[in-house]
Amino acid sequence: MAQNKKEEFKKSDLELADFAKAISHPARVAILKTISKKNMCICGEIVDVLPLSQSTVSQHLRELLKAGLLEGTVDGTKSCYCINWKAFARFSKGFNEFFNSAKSRAESFEKKKCC
Amino acid sequence: MAQNKKEEFKKSDLELADFAKAISHPARVAILKTISKKNMCICGEIVDVLPLSQSTVSQHLRELLKAGLLEGTVDGTKSCYCINWKAFARFSKGFNEFFNSAKSRAESFEKKKCC
DNA sequence: ATTTAATATCGCAAATATACGATAATTAAT
DNA sequence: ATTAATTATCGTATATTTGCGATATTAAAT
């Protein structure tokens, strides 16, 4: 992007965009669904159900950790991952506020649109 | 990415990821908020409130159009954009289903976590 | 008829993201 | 002590995204 302009946006816009980015790849959506179905998963279980190599899955897991959506612990040779529900709830709230505040504003005019 | 594996994921995972991708940049979040506040905007009004060049804003607008979140009409030399509320509602529903179904599953175990 | 205004698109450069194999590190199993 | 299993990370290749200036197009204003 030649230059990164992200920091020049409103913090709230950036935060929502970052939330969205964390789940903007189907692998990461699938990882979150897989873990939430089983409460917790070791890395290998996730690799088994995704059409990606172990190293690539590990990379996606790292991103979800970085975004705060996952927590992980090491158990012998295995790594166990589970959902950070607190962060998950913040995500959910962020999206809902965005959608709902936009929609409620829309109710006020609703007629004179150009398209 | 060497190879694109996106098509090998479940359709619903891909769809949610694509929704998320559409709002995964603060400029696009800001654009949607700006338009929803005023019901409709011409391109120039959006350019005025974003820290980006006209051509870059136009590109983000195009992406939001492609994602279906915006509709646009030409009015003389100006381009008017407004929110496609139907698509917007589908987005919102998609996110909520994702968040809520994960969360409701979580309630069932909730204790024996590894992290 | 010219000039101005508004916007989309093209071409390019730089930054990020995606994917994988190879490898290292660590623990478990033999 | 070796070997096998598990996973994170490194290096690398490729694809995509982001950003901008320049330009083309079209309509409006002069």
Side-chain angles (χ1 to χ4, degrees):
Chain A
M1 59 190 79
Q3 279 177 107
N4 191 334
K5 297 296 194 83
K6 297 228 171 120
E7 301 310 323
E8 300 183 31
F9 290 90
K10 277 171 54 189
K11 204 203 256 304
S12 57
D13 293 348
L14 185 57
E15 193 183 43
L16 182 61
D18 284 342
F19 280 179
K21 178 169 281 247
I23 57 173
S24 71
H25 192 289
R28 295 196 284 276
V29 172
I31 287 171
L32 291 171
K33 281 189 183 176
T34 301
I35 297 178
S36 80
K37 268 181 202 142
K38 308 187 54 176
N39 197 35
M40 61 201 198
C41 286
I42 63 169
C43 177
E45 293 176 301
I46 300 167
V47 172
D48 286 346
V49 299
L50 292 196
L52 296 172
S53 74
Q54 181 269 321
S55 62
T56 302
V57 170
S58 196
Q59 217 167 341
H60 283 299
L61 285 167
R62 180 150 41 97
E63 275 182 73
L64 288 169
L65 282 173
K66 193 171 51 128
L69 276 171
L70 290 185
E71 292 177 301
T73 50
V74 176
D75 170 29
T77 58
K78 319 210 173 145
S79 286
C80 185
Y81 290 94
C82 51
I83 306 240
N84 179 342
W85 290 107
K86 205 158 170 176
F88 205 77
R90 283 208 317 130
F91 266 56
S92 173
K93 188 151 163 282
F95 279 111
N96 275 324
E97 281 174 5
F98 171 67
F99 284 120
N100 292 337
S101 73
K103 191 171 296 186
S104 72
R105 264 197 302 269
E107 248 94 84
S108 50
F109 354 80
E110 189 62 69
K111 283 288 137 113
K112 4 85 188 183
K113 280 172 63 179
C114 56
C115 16
Chain B
M1 62 192 72
Q3 280 177 106
N4 192 335
K5 297 296 194 81
K6 297 231 172 119
E7 300 311 321
E8 300 182 30
F9 290 90
K10 278 171 52 190
K11 204 202 254 307
S12 57
D13 293 347
L14 186 57
E15 192 183 44
L16 182 60
D18 283 343
F19 280 179
K21 181 173 279 250
I23 56 172
S24 72
H25 192 290
R28 295 194 286 275
V29 173
I31 287 171
L32 291 170
K33 282 189 182 175
T34 301
I35 296 178
S36 79
K37 267 179 205 147
K38 308 187 51 176
N39 196 35
M40 60 200 199
C41 286
I42 63 168
C43 175
E45 294 176 302
I46 301 169
V47 172
D48 285 344
V49 299
L50 292 195
L52 296 172
S53 73
Q54 180 268 322
S55 62
T56 302
V57 170
S58 195
Q59 218 168 337
H60 283 298
L61 285 167
R62 180 148 43 97
E63 276 181 71
L64 288 169
L65 282 174
K66 192 172 50 130
L69 276 171
L70 290 185
E71 293 177 300
T73 51
V74 176
D75 170 27
T77 59
K78 320 212 174 148
S79 286
C80 186
Y81 290 94
C82 50
I83 307 242
N84 179 342
W85 291 107
K86 205 160 172 175
F88 205 78
R90 284 208 318 128
F91 266 56
S92 173
K93 188 150 163 284
F95 279 112
N96 275 323
E97 280 173 5
F98 171 67
F99 284 121
N100 292 338
S101 73
K103 192 170 297 190
S104 73
R105 266 197 302 270
E107 249 96 81
S108 49
F109 354 79
E110 189 61 71
K111 282 287 138 103
K112 3 82 187 187
K113 280 171 62 180
C114 57
C115 13

